[in-house]
Coordinates of all heavy atoms in Angstrom, one line a residue:
M24 N -27.2 40.6 49.6 CA -25.9 40.8 50.0 C -25.2 39.5 50.5 O -24.0 39.4 50.5 CB -25.8 41.9 51.0 CG -24.3 42.2 51.4 SD -24.2 43.7 52.6 CE -22.4 43.7 52.9
F236 N -16.6 31.5 50.7 CA -18.1 31.7 50.3 C -18.1 32.6 49.1 O -17.4 33.6 49.0 CB -18.9 32.1 51.5 CG -18.7 31.3 52.7 CD1 -18.5 31.9 53.9 CD2 -18.8 29.9 52.6 CE1 -18.3 31.2 55.1 CE2 -18.6 29.1 53.8 CZ -18.4 29.7 55.0
G237 N -19.1 32.4 48.2 CA -19.1 33.2 47.0 C -20.0 34.6 47.1 O -21.0 34.5 48.0
V238 N -19.5 35.6 46.6 CA -20.3 36.7 46.5 C -20.3 37.3 45.0 O -19.5 36.7 44.2 CB -19.8 38.0 47.4 CG1 -19.7 37.5 48.8 CG2 -18.3 38.3 46.9
D239 N -21.3 38.2 44.7 CA -21.6 38.4 43.2 C -20.7 39.5 42.6 O -20.8 39.6 41.4 CB -23.0 38.7 43.0 CG -23.5 40.0 43.8 OD1 -22.6 40.6 44.4 OD2 -24.7 40.2 43.9
S240 N -19.8 40.2 43.3 CA -19.0 41.2 42.7 C -18.0 41.7 43.5 O -18.0 41.5 44.8 CB -20.0 42.4 42.4 OG -20.4 43.1 43.5
E241 N -17.0 42.3 43.0 CA -15.9 43.0 43.8 C -16.5 44.2 44.7 O -16.0 44.2 45.8 CB -14.9 43.5 42.9 CG -13.7 44.0 43.7 CD -12.6 44.6 42.7 OE1 -12.7 44.5 41.5 OE2 -11.6 45.2 43.2
E242 N -17.4 44.7 44.2 CA -18.1 45.9 44.9 C -18.7 45.3 46.2 O -18.6 45.9 47.3 CB -19.2 46.6 44.1 CG -19.9 47.7 44.9 CD -21.0 48.2 44.1 OE1 -21.3 47.7 42.9 OE2 -21.7 49.2 44.5
R243 N -19.3 44.2 46.1 CA -19.8 43.5 47.4 C -18.7 43.2 48.3 O -19.0 43.4 49.6 CB -20.5 42.2 47.0 CG -21.5 41.7 48.0 CD -22.8 42.6 48.1 NE -23.6 42.4 46.9 CZ -24.6 43.2 46.5 NH1 -24.8 44.3 47.2 NH2 -25.3 42.9 45.5
L244 N -17.6 42.8 47.9 CA -16.4 42.6 48.8 C -16.1 43.8 49.7 O -15.9 43.8 50.9 CB -15.3 42.0 48.1 CG -15.4 40.7 47.5 CD1 -13.9 40.4 46.8 CD2 -15.6 39.6 48.4
H245 N -16.1 45.0 49.0 CA -15.8 46.2 49.7 C -16.9 46.5 50.6 O -16.6 47.0 51.8 CB -15.5 47.3 48.6 CG -14.4 47.2 47.9 ND1 -13.1 47.5 48.4 CD2 -14.0 46.7 46.6 CE1 -12.1 47.3 47.5 NE2 -12.7 46.8 46.4
E246 N -18.1 46.2 50.4 CA -19.2 46.4 51.3 C -19.1 45.5 52.5 O -19.3 46.0 53.7 CB -20.6 46.1 50.6 CG -20.9 47.2 49.5 CD -22.2 46.9 48.7 OE1 -22.8 45.8 49.1 OE2 -22.5 47.5 47.9
W247 N -18.7 44.3 52.3 CA -18.5 43.4 53.4 C -17.3 43.9 54.3 O -17.4 43.8 55.5 CB -18.1 41.9 52.9 CG -19.4 41.1 52.7 CD1 -20.0 40.7 51.4 CD2 -20.3 40.6 53.7 NE1 -21.2 40.0 51.7 CE2 -21.3 40.0 53.0 CE3 -20.3 40.7 55.0 CZ2 -22.4 39.3 53.7 CZ3 -21.3 40.0 55.7 CH2 -22.3 39.4 55.1
R248 N -16.2 44.3 53.6 CA -15.1 44.8 54.4 C -15.5 46.0 55.3 O -15.2 46.0 56.5 CB -14.0 45.3 53.5 CG -12.7 45.5 54.4 CD -11.5 46.0 53.6 NE -10.4 45.9 54.5 CZ -10.2 46.8 55.4 NH1 -10.9 47.8 55.6 NH2 -9.1 46.6 56.2
D249 N -16.4 46.8 54.7 CA -16.8 48.1 55.6 C -17.7 47.5 56.8 O -17.6 48.1 57.8 CB -17.6 49.1 54.7 CG -16.7 49.7 53.7 OD1 -15.5 49.8 53.9 OD2 -17.2 50.3 52.7
Q250 N -18.5 46.6 56.5 CA -19.4 46.0 57.4 C -18.6 45.3 58.6 O -19.0 45.4 59.9 CB -20.5 45.0 56.9 CG -21.4 44.5 57.9 CD -22.4 43.7 57.3 OE1 -22.7 43.8 56.2 NE2 -23.0 42.7 58.1
L251 N -17.6 44.6 58.2 CA -17.0 43.8 59.2 C -15.8 44.4 60.0 O -15.4 44.0 61.1 CB -16.4 42.4 58.5 CG -17.4 41.5 58.0 CD1 -16.8 40.5 57.1 CD2 -18.2 40.8 59.1
V259 N -10.1 41.3 59.4 CA -10.4 41.4 58.1 C -9.2 42.0 57.2 O -8.6 43.0 57.6 CB -11.7 42.4 57.8 CG1 -12.2 42.2 56.3 CG2 -12.7 41.9 58.7
V262 N -9.2 43.8 50.2 CA -9.7 43.0 49.0 C -8.4 42.8 48.2 O -7.6 43.6 47.9 CB -10.7 43.8 48.2 CG1 -11.0 43.1 46.9 CG2 -12.0 43.9 49.1
K263 N -8.2 41.5 47.8 CA -7.1 41.1 47.0 C -7.5 40.6 45.7 O -8.6 39.8 45.5 CB -6.3 39.9 47.8 CG -5.8 40.4 49.1 CD -5.3 39.2 49.9 CE -4.6 39.6 51.3 NZ -3.4 40.4 51.1
Y268 N -10.6 35.4 40.6 CA -11.7 36.0 41.4 C -10.9 37.0 42.3 O -9.7 37.0 42.4 CB -12.4 35.1 42.1 CG -11.7 34.0 42.7 CD1 -11.0 34.2 43.9 CD2 -11.5 32.7 42.2 CE1 -10.2 33.1 44.6 CE2 -10.7 31.6 42.8 CZ -10.2 31.9 43.9 OH -9.4 30.9 44.5
H269 N -11.7 37.9 43.0 CA -11.2 38.8 44.0 C -11.7 38.2 45.4 O -12.7 37.6 45.4 CB -11.7 40.2 43.8 CG -11.0 41.0 42.7 ND1 -11.2 40.6 41.4 CD2 -10.1 42.0 42.7 CE1 -10.5 41.4 40.6 NE2 -9.8 42.2 41.4
S270 N -10.9 38.5 46.3 CA -11.1 37.9 47.6 C -10.9 38.9 48.9 O -10.2 39.8 48.7 CB -10.1 36.7 47.9 OG -10.3 35.6 47.0
L271 N -11.7 38.4 49.9 CA -11.6 39.2 51.2 C -11.4 38.0 52.3 O -12.2 37.1 52.2 CB -12.8 39.9 51.4 CG -13.0 40.7 52.8 CD1 -11.9 41.9 52.8 CD2 -14.3 41.2 53.0
Y272 N -10.4 38.1 53.1 CA -10.2 37.1 54.1 C -10.7 37.6 55.5 O -10.4 38.7 55.8 CB -8.7 36.8 54.2 CG -8.2 36.0 52.9 CD1 -7.7 36.9 51.9 CD2 -8.3 34.7 52.7 CE1 -7.3 36.3 50.7 CE2 -8.0 34.1 51.6 CZ -7.4 35.0 50.5 OH -7.0 34.4 49.3
E282 N -13.0 33.0 53.7 CA -12.7 33.9 52.5 C -14.0 34.2 51.8 O -14.9 33.3 51.9 CB -11.7 33.2 51.6 CG -11.4 34.1 50.3 CD -10.5 33.1 49.3 OE1 -10.1 32.1 49.6 OE2 -10.3 33.8 48.2
L283 N -14.2 35.4 51.4 CA -15.3 35.7 50.5 C -14.7 35.9 49.2 O -13.7 36.6 48.9 CB -16.0 37.0 51.0 CG -16.7 36.9 52.4 CD1 -17.3 38.3 52.7 CD2 -17.5 35.7 52.6
A284 N -15.3 35.3 48.1 CA -14.6 35.2 46.7 C -15.7 35.6 45.7 O -16.8 35.1 45.8 CB -13.9 33.9 46.5
T285 N -15.3 36.4 44.7 CA -16.3 36.8 43.7 C -16.6 35.5 42.7 O -15.8 34.7 42.4 CB -15.8 37.9 42.9 OG1 -14.5 37.6 42.3 CG2 -15.8 39.1 43.7

Side-chain angles (χ1 to χ4, degrees):
M24 183 172 174
F236 306 132
V238 299
D239 60 10
S240 67
E241 185 182 353
E242 178 183 8
R243 195 75 72 201
L244 290 181
H245 289 283
E246 292 175 1
W247 273 109
R248 189 179 192 285
D249 290 343
Q250 177 178 336
L251 295 169
V259 187
V262 174
K263 298 175 180 286
Y268 41 82
H269 285 73
S270 294
L271 178 71
Y272 295 90
E282 178 183 355
L283 301 179
T285 55

